[in-house]
Amino acid sequence: MTDHVYKILELTGSSSTSIEDAVSNAVAKASETVRNIHWFNVVETRGFVKDGKVAYWQVTVKLGFTLE
């Protein structure tokens, strides 16, 4: 096994559908400019309520990627 050094990036994704979609949106957007993403950790989940219903989810994640 090769030793790796990781850098951590924290960002928040959102979705009107689900927590999972909010995470996927954050990872997909980060993948456009960050290479070698290997893992994520959900550090906070929150939502926005409108008219007594959940309007959207916000999920803060830490993404780990290897340095080249």
Side-chain angles (χ1 to χ4, degrees):
M1 181 176 163
T2 305
D3 294 332
H4 296 286
V5 174
Y6 292 92
K7 183 162 180 70
I8 298 173
L9 175 67
E10 184 174 286
L11 59 153
T12 301
S14 64
S15 170
S16 60
T17 307
S18 68
I19 294 169
E20 290 85 359
D21 281 350
V23 171
S24 293
N25 290 341
V27 171
K29 187 64 174 177
S31 294
E32 292 177 9
T33 57
V34 177
R35 294 183 305 275
N36 303 318
I37 297 173
H38 290 284
W39 55 266
F40 69 90
N41 178 33
V42 176
V43 295
E44 184 176 14
T45 304
R46 60 190 172 276
F48 177 74
V49 177
K50 183 175 182 182
D51 299 325
K53 297 181 180 178
V54 175
Y56 64 89
W57 298 93
Q58 290 182 329
V59 179
T60 300
V61 295
K62 289 185 178 182
L63 299 177
F65 59 96
T66 54
L67 297 176
E68 295 179 343

